[in-house]
Amino acid sequence: MPSVHRVKLAGRIWRWCYTRLRGSADGWTHDNGTVLIHAKLPPQRRLEVELHEALHCLYPDLSEEAVTNGARDMRRLLYSTLGYRRKDT
């Protein structure tokens, strides 16, 4: 059963869902207000995918390259430099 949260980004409520994804994608942002994150990702990858999908929600006109680079850089800052960790992992 997927884990679902309600998240407000850019003035819009998004359904943020952790579930099993098939194929090569680790996350998806849908125009219908749903974000899907693969539930079984290692911690650093999960953070990067969460940031990546949040950037799509916040700035839908950004290129995929800009979103990918931004998420990677933010993950490095938060995880590697500042020591961010989830409480439940």
Side-chain angles (χ1 to χ4, degrees):
M1 176 174 226
S3 170
V4 180
H5 305 276
R6 291 171 43 92
V7 177
K8 188 173 185 178
L9 295 169
R12 180 176 178 186
I13 301 295
W14 294 85
R15 290 183 66 245
W16 200 271
C17 307
Y18 295 91
T19 190
R20 186 178 130 180
L21 294 179
R22 295 181 182 182
S24 62
D26 289 335
W28 288 96
T29 298
H30 296 277
D31 291 338
N32 69 1
T34 301
V35 173
L36 301 175
I37 306 286
H38 188 64
K40 303 257 181 188
L41 295 173
Q44 287 189 59
R45 180 67 184 144
R46 179 176 170 156
L47 176 60
E48 189 167 327
V49 171
E50 291 168 329
L51 293 166
H52 181 104
E53 300 311 327
L55 285 169
H56 277 305
C57 296
L58 291 166
Y59 308 107
D61 295 331
L62 274 182
S63 70
E64 186 66 19
E65 180 181 13
V67 167
T68 297
N69 291 338
R72 184 188 61 237
D73 290 346
M74 285 190 292
R75 189 259 312 150
R76 283 183 188 148
L77 169 68
L78 292 170
Y79 198 93
S80 300
T81 305
L82 301 178
Y84 169 86
R85 299 294 185 273
R86 288 173 37 112
K87 289 182 181 181
D88 61 331
T89 57

